[in-house]
């Protein structure tokens, strides 16, 4: 089998098997289970770069600070960096342990990664991503006045802060990531989509309160590292059209043209499968010969062998 450079984007189920149990102990146990299919790929000789989401974890961090102080006290970019370190540490532990169990001796590096976004990105004009705790209307008004937050009512449960979700432009630590991957190390990067930063000029970077979609950040680092494969792991084995309907159809293969048609027809949910399909399309279109795969964590090895999953190709 050809040995590929593979960027893996882990879904939330790879870090929290039980959404109701958000403890660190539970996450580490889940990370150890997640490590097994990842090390399967390493054992096959593939170069692995691992990305992951951080939605529940960064939400916990923000809410903890809010509960302790009564108001938000920790800037959102710093909360994102904390979640990268926390999740990266668990994945480092789990992957290293699984490799040692199999007699594989490689280093695993988890990098706090900054991802450059455009300060003029349209997402900043219409923030949509809720973060942190719920507040009363009075508290929300005060936060808007005193901190300049954008607060929106959330389905009758209270008011929450919303932040932008801009597109990734570049990955600041990309040269370091490439050096580590070229040297044979396993790298965990762009966690939670990376800490979003804007370029203020002369290379000076400033963190901004925003959430970068982890699938798009994974696609960006896959492009930069000239990866062969982008594998987006989620809770289902294959992408489906007419999802959860009697005529549901699972797809083994999807061309760019077909994907565009399915998107126009509204087959993929905006907060679920849509960003995964769009990220896969973007990677495949970026250079001839590149392939993307969407499948479940448990089927990653079979997917890269062409036995399952949904492969996205140019034509």
């Amino acid at each position: 089998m050809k040995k590929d450079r593979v960027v893996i984007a882990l879904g939330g189920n790879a870090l929290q098997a039980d959404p109701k149990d958000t403890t660190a102990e539970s996450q580490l146990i889940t990370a150890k289970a997640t490590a097994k299919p990842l090390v399967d790929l390493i054992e096959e000789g593939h170069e692995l770069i691992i990305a992951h989401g951080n939605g529940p974890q960064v939400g916990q961090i923000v809410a903890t600070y809010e509960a302790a102080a009564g108001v938000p006290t920790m800037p959102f970019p710093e909360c994102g960096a904390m979640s990268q370190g926390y999740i990266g540490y668990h994945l480092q532990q789990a992957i290293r342990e699984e490799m040692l169990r199999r007699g594989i001796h490689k280093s695993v590096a988890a990098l706090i990664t900054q991802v450059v976004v455009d300060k003029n990105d349209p997402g900043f004009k219409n923030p949509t991503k809720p973060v942190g705790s719920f507040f009363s209307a009075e508290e929300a008004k005060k936060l808007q006045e005193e901190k300049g937050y954008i607060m929106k009512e959330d389905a009758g449960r209270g008011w929450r802060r919303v932040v932008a979700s801009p597109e990734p432009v570049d990955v600041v630590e990309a040269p370091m990531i490439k050096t580590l991957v070229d040297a044979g190390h396993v790298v965990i990067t762009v966690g939670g989509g990376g800490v979003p930063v804007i370029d203020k000029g002369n290379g000076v970077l400033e963190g901004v309160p925003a959430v970068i979609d982890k699938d798009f950040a994974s696609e960006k680092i896959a492009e930069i590292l000239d990866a062969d494969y982008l594998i987006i792991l989620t809770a289902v084995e294959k992408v489906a059209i007419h999802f959860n309907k009697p005529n549901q159809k699972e797809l083994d293969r999807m061309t760019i043209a077909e994907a565009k048609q399915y998107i126009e027809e509204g087959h993929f949910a905006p907060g679920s499968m849509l960003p995964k399909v769009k990220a896969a399309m973007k990677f495949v279109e970026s250079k001839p010969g590149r392939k993307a795969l969407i499948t479940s964590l448990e089927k990653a090895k079979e997917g890269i062998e062409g036995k399952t999953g949904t492969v996205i190709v140019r034509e």
Side-chain angles (χ1 to χ4, degrees):
M1 182 195 298
K2 178 177 177 289
K3 310 306 180 187
D4 291 314
R5 175 167 290 187
V6 181
V7 172
I8 297 269
L10 295 176
N13 62 314
L15 297 170
Q16 289 185 329
D18 180 0
K20 295 181 181 178
D21 188 350
T22 58
T23 62
E25 293 81 3
S26 174
Q27 180 174 289
L28 182 56
I29 290 169
T30 305
K32 288 184 178 183
T34 293
K36 293 176 182 178
L38 297 180
V39 176
D40 284 345
L41 297 178
I42 295 169
E43 196 169 38
E44 291 286 334
H46 300 296
E47 293 179 336
L48 231 60
I49 302 97
I50 300 162
H52 59 80
N54 72 340
Q57 293 84 356
V58 77
Q60 281 179 291
I61 293 168
V62 172
T64 298
Y65 276 100
E66 289 171 345
V71 294
T73 57
M74 182 61 67
F76 191 68
E78 279 76 356
C79 292
M82 288 181 193
S83 72
Q84 281 194 31
Y86 162 38
I87 297 167
Y89 160 66
H90 278 176
L91 289 172
Q92 276 180 299
Q93 288 259 307
I95 294 167
R96 183 175 183 275
E97 183 178 310
E98 184 63 24
M99 287 196 300
L100 288 174
R101 193 180 68 78
R102 303 190 197 190
I104 301 170
H105 299 281
K106 285 177 175 281
S107 295
V108 186
L111 298 181
I112 304 298
T113 313
Q114 302 170 92
V115 175
V116 178
V117 298
D118 185 347
K119 64 181 180 181
N120 297 314
D121 188 288
F124 286 111
K125 295 179 181 178
N126 182 33
T128 57
K129 293 286 185 179
V131 296
S133 304
F134 292 92
F135 295 91
S136 68
E138 185 180 343
E139 290 169 328
K141 184 179 180 182
K142 187 176 179 180
L143 287 169
Q144 288 183 137
E145 292 172 350
E146 294 183 357
K147 291 185 172 287
Y149 290 173
I150 297 174
M151 308 291 290
K152 291 187 179 180
E153 202 275 332
D154 190 340
R157 296 180 294 176
W159 292 72
R160 296 179 79 186
R161 182 186 183 188
V162 291
V163 298
S165 184
E167 296 278 336
V169 174
D170 198 6
V171 178
V172 178
E173 288 75 22
M176 188 190 311
I177 297 164
K178 187 177 187 306
T179 298
L180 289 168
V181 174
D182 287 346
H185 305 300
V186 180
V187 181
I188 302 161
T189 184
V190 296
V195 178
V197 295
I198 57 171
D199 190 338
K200 297 187 70 179
N202 298 320
V204 177
L205 302 172
E206 178 179 74
V208 292
V211 174
I212 302 170
D213 187 282
K214 71 102 173 44
D215 296 315
F216 289 120
S218 302
E219 190 282 328
K220 178 57 67 176
I221 195 63
E223 273 194 49
I224 293 170
L225 296 178
D226 196 22
D228 302 291
Y229 243 114
L230 171 63
I231 302 181
I232 299 175
L233 301 180
T234 185
V236 295
E237 187 173 337
K238 295 181 182 181
V239 177
I241 55 174
H242 307 293
F243 185 66
N244 269 346
K245 296 178 182 177
N247 59 339
Q248 176 175 316
K249 179 184 177 182
E250 294 184 334
L251 305 172
D252 298 320
R253 185 176 180 275
M254 184 165 51
T255 65
I256 297 297
E258 288 169 336
K260 288 179 179 177
Q261 179 184 336
Y262 294 144
I263 290 171
E264 287 176 7
E265 293 171 354
H267 285 287
F268 309 131
S272 179
M273 190 57 74
L274 183 60
K276 295 172 176 54
V277 171
K278 283 187 171 181
M281 292 167 63
K282 193 171 189 295
F283 180 69
V284 170
E285 288 183 301
S286 65
K287 184 179 177 180
R290 288 176 173 169
K291 290 193 292 185
L293 170 72
I294 300 175
T295 191
S296 64
L297 173 67
E298 298 76 16
K299 298 292 183 178
K301 182 180 177 183
E302 291 178 47
I304 205 169
E305 291 172 351
K307 297 176 181 178
T308 191
T310 302
V311 177
I312 294 85
V313 295
R314 279 197 161 203
E315 54 188 29

